[in-house]
Each structure stands twice: as structure tokens, then as C-alpha cells.
Amino acid sequence: MNRSGASGKGRRRLVATVASLAIAGVVGIGAITSATAPVMAEAVRLDQPVQAPSFADIVEKVSPAVVSVRVKADVEMASNRGGSGLFEMPGFEELPDGHPLKRFFREFRGDRGGEKQRRRQGRPRPVSQGSGFFISEDGYLVTNNHVVDGGSSFTVVMDDGTEIDAKLVGTDARTDLAVLKVEEERSFTYVDFADDAKVRVGDWVVAVGNPFGLGGTVTAGIVSARGRDIGAGPYDDFIQIDAAVNRGNSGGPAFNLTGEVVGINTAIFSPSGGNVGIAFAIPASVAKEVVRDLIEDGTVERGWLGVQIQPVSKDIAESVGLDEEKGALVADAQDGEPADKAGIRSGDIIIAVDGKTVSSPKELARLVAAFAPGNEVEVTLWRNGKTESVSVTLAEMPGTKSLASAGGGAQSDIMNAQFGLKVTPAEDGDGLVVTDVEPGSAADERGIRPGDIIREVNSRSVKSGKDVEEAVSAAVEAGRKAVLVQIQRDDATRFIALPAGEG
């Protein structure tokens, strides 16, 4: 019993000792841990959640002004055209109308209505669908030309689902714009054009339209670029946006945050056919002018200079003494046209129109087209190393405009050695005909090819190798690194800058 009691006390002491050691160990570990662990800072936390922008107020105001545009065209139904069909056979039409075999074949091919079906042959059928928006209380609305092109009847579908017939007022293929008009005794909700000169890259835009025929759809994004040239027409100056724009959005508006139209959605870049975040809108400033003319006259009249132009490259600028690559180089002034009458000639560089700087051929085309035919404008030229101004009375831009031989003789050594060309005097005595181009030469790299006729070098007429040598020497003495060569190919004229310091 005593042993038992002693044994029990011993066990209790052992347990107490182990427990004490364990506690001491834990305390020791804790001490070590607290001495080496990083001090935790308070987590970052906002007192109020970030408020994401909402476009609901804008959408609520502008949506009634945005419509779907349905276009139909007179299309002959292929199933009832003349000629043999899939189920037509000799003697088939001679069967009685009530004959089971005749009835079976007609129903199989969908001709249940007989004469009724044939009467539907000339009726309009849907050919396209897009978007549009009202710009006036009395029912004028804007869309894209490519939406209505080829259509014979037009229907607009309102935000509330109401369908109204519309008539075509006018179209302008060059800017891809069209105006429709609905005739109904009511006041329409309409929107106005913004001053797109104030639009900046990074600004929010809201696109409203009819993608894939789904009806009113709203997407948002930012202006991702300005002044885009996508090769769609002569006046390309698109606003690029990253809002989701798809097929069917064509003709729909892109709004700023005050509900004004900054652009008309027209095209998308899409390898897949769907939205990839790159859409292009016609600027409001362009649309406003075109729409006004279409409403007033049903067409757009544009000024016309009558010149064939090309960009001013760095080499060309150097060859004529311009400090920067700007302006539009006149390759040809067409006989009898306004530029020709005003004294503008081949080799001139147009650097301004009515005081507005011309940065490129596209810019020149837009500036001139903005004037009505008959207007007199001041054109500033760079000619012979200095500026000159001439007054030009613009004509009306035509719908289609035409822009207006090798022989024997001695070859020019300088052309061969300096530029990699072999030439011979032209039969008419005016210029040098290119007979061969050395692969990899300066001329080859710049696109000159056999059969081209060199008319001028640095505005000097050339008829021999000596003429070319004198023109090049004069350029070198003037400190120029290139010479400007006027090339005629077929009926077109262009200028090419060739290096003057390479031999």
C-alpha cells in the first residue's frame, strides 16, 4: 500500500515534470518565434468601395433615338425561274392538277401555292440589316451607305419594337453615309452631333446598335486612336474605339458621356468575323457636313482641283529643300482643270489650302472636298525652294475621272553608274526611256522598271545623260542628298527621289 502510494506520487511528479518541461519548451519556442517573425502591417482597405462608372442614365436618354434598319431588295426567287428543276420531267405539267403524283412533287419542293407562289416572285426579300439614329424631330435618320446599298424598301424598328417604313433621301459612297426619312405624324426623339475635335484618346464612348439583328444592344469602351486610315475611301479619318462592335452595328452611333454622337460605327477589324476590340467610326464632323448636304440636295458636291498627287517622302523633301515630310506632291496637273488653269504644275508641292496646313495627300483631298464647287481658294505651293501662292477656282468633283516608247540611241553612263539604270533617248525627243534596271540598285529599290520614261530631274527637262549629270551636280553643290526624278508610266506620272551622293 505504501509502495503503491509512493509509486502513485512518483508518477504524479513525473507527469508534472514532463508537463513543466513541455510548457517551458513551448514558451521557449514561442519566444524564439516571436523574436524572428516579421511584424505584420495593417492590410490595405478602402473605407468605401470604388464606384464603377454607370452609363444607365445616358442609355435611358439616347436609346429611343437609335433604331434598327431593315433593308429589302427585289430578288427573283430561284425556285420558280424558267428551265428544268429538280423534280421537273417530260409530261409532268400535263398531269391533271388534282393528280396525286403532281400534288406530291409540288408540295415536296415547297410549291404548295401554285399560282400564289409565282405571284411572290417579284416581292422584296431581306438583304441586309444594320443600325441608325434619328437626327431630327421630324424623322430624318442616319445610317451607313453599305447598309442601304442595293435596297428597294426600308423599315426602321424603334426601341419599343414599332416598325415604320422609311424612304431613302440620299447616299454618299465616298464617306459611306446615307440618310433615310420616315413619314409619320409624331415627334421623334433625336440626338445631336458632338464636336469631335474635343474627343481625346482615352475618352469613354458608348455604342448603341443592332448587332447580329438582336435589337437594341449597348456596349462601352474608350477611344483607342484617332485619324485611322483603313483604305476604305479617299477621306478616311476614322476614330478607333474598343467598345464591342459587331455585324449589325453598322450605322449606329457612338456617344460621349453627354449623349452626343462622336462617331458612326462603320467597320471592324476582325480576323474571326466577331468583335476583337478594334472598331472604326466616322467622325461626327465629317458626318454632319455630309448629312446636311444629303438632306438639302440628296447628294454631296465636292470641290475639285484636278491634280494627281503623291506623298512627300523623306528623300523627296530632302531633294527639294523642304525641312520636313509634309504636303502633297503634284505628279500631274490635268489639262484644262482648275489647278492647270491656275498655273500649278508637275513637281509643285501643295503645303496649304486657305491657310490650313496640308500634311499629306489625304489631308489635301479632305480640305479641297470640303469646299463647294465654284469657291476660290488660296493654294500655297513649295516651288524652286520657296513658297508661292496661287488662287484656284474649284470645279465640281466628277463621279469618275481619268487621269491624265522606247527607241534606239546612246545609253547614259551616269544613269548606269549612279542609279543602276540604262536609258536611251525617247523617240519624241522628250525624256529618257529606261531600258534596263540593275537588280538591287537604288532605282530597283524604288520601283523604277524598264519602259518608264524619265521626263525631268529636279524640275529640269532631260534628253541626254549630260542633262542628268548637270542636274545631279547642281543638287550636290546645293547640299542636297537626293534628286527628284519625274517618271511617266503609261498615262500616269509620279516622282521618285534617288540618292545624289552614291556612285
Side-chain angles (χ1 to χ4, degrees), residues 178-478:
V179 174
L180 297 171
K181 177 74 162 63
V182 296
E183 301 291 349
E184 189 166 299
E185 293 299 324
R186 59 181 286 190
S187 295
F188 293 94
T189 300
Y190 67 96
V191 292
D192 201 1
F193 290 109
D195 179 4
D196 65 76
K198 299 178 181 178
V199 174
R200 299 164 59 198
V201 173
D203 283 349
W204 280 105
V205 286
V206 179
V208 185
N210 179 38
F212 303 114
L214 295 173
T217 300
V218 179
T219 56
I222 63 169
V223 174
S224 48
R226 296 210 53 175
R228 288 298 197 213
D229 182 350
I230 62 174
Y235 311 117
D236 281 16
D237 186 24
F238 289 102
I239 297 172
Q240 182 181 318
I241 64 176
D242 72 346
V245 172
N246 289 286
R247 293 176 181 175
N249 272 110
S250 289
F255 294 102
N256 61 19
L257 296 188
T258 59
E260 296 174 310
V261 178
V262 298
I264 300 172
N265 300 319
T266 297
I268 60 174
F269 175 80
S270 176
S272 64
N275 169 62
V276 294
I278 300 178
F280 303 99
I282 300 168
S285 55
V286 173
K288 188 175 183 179
E289 299 298 323
V290 171
V291 166
R292 182 193 62 198
D293 289 346
L294 291 178
I295 292 175
E296 291 177 356
D297 305 314
T299 187
V300 179
E301 291 185 343
R302 294 184 170 92
W304 172 255
L305 263 181
V307 291
Q308 183 182 347
I309 52 180
Q310 68 179 76
V312 177
S313 66
K314 182 178 180 180
D315 287 342
I316 289 175
E318 170 65 33
S319 69
V320 298
L322 269 176
D323 294 335
E324 54 184 325
E325 305 161 46
K326 66 176 183 179
L329 176 61
V330 178
D332 183 37
Q334 299 166 34
D335 291 340
E337 296 294 352
D340 177 54
K341 292 178 180 178
I344 296 176
R345 59 177 185 258
S346 218
D348 289 340
I349 296 177
I350 299 175
I351 58 175
V353 175
D354 259 13
K356 296 181 180 179
T357 301
V358 174
S359 58
S360 65
K362 286 272 187 183
E363 182 70 16
L364 175 63
R366 285 194 292 267
L367 287 174
V368 173
F371 291 97
N375 277 12
E376 186 175 289
V377 297
E378 182 181 7
V379 177
T380 305
L381 308 170
W382 181 260
R383 176 188 290 172
N384 297 327
K386 60 182 180 179
T387 59
E388 295 184 22
S389 293
V390 296
S391 293
V392 182
T393 301
L394 301 176
E396 181 178 351
M397 178 182 289
T400 306
K401 197 70 184 178
S402 299
L403 303 175
S405 342
Q411 296 176 344
S412 167
D413 291 336
I414 187 171
M415 296 297 283
N416 187 18
Q418 182 118 348
F419 305 129
L421 291 173
K422 291 185 178 179
V423 296
T424 190
E427 282 188 342
D428 60 5
D430 182 15
L432 300 168
V433 178
V434 177
T435 59
D436 189 32
V437 181
E438 181 183 341
S441 64
D444 181 45
E445 290 175 352
R446 288 159 177 78
I448 298 178
R449 63 189 189 211
D452 289 345
I453 301 176
I454 298 172
R455 295 296 190 187
E456 294 182 357
V457 176
N458 268 20
S459 300
R460 298 186 180 195
S461 297
V462 292
K463 300 179 181 180
S464 65
K466 183 179 180 182
D467 293 338
V468 176
E469 184 175 0
E470 290 175 353
V472 172
S473 296
V476 172
E477 289 175 6

Side-chain angles (χ1 to χ4, degrees), residues 50 121 124 131 259 266 342 462:
V50 174
Q121 289 182 24
S131 305
T266 297
V462 292

Side-chain angles (χ1 to χ4, degrees), residues 469-487:
E469 184 175 0
E470 290 175 353
V472 172
S473 296
V476 172
E477 289 175 6
R480 304 275 171 80
K481 296 180 180 179
V483 291
L484 196 63
V485 179
Q486 182 185 15
I487 298 288

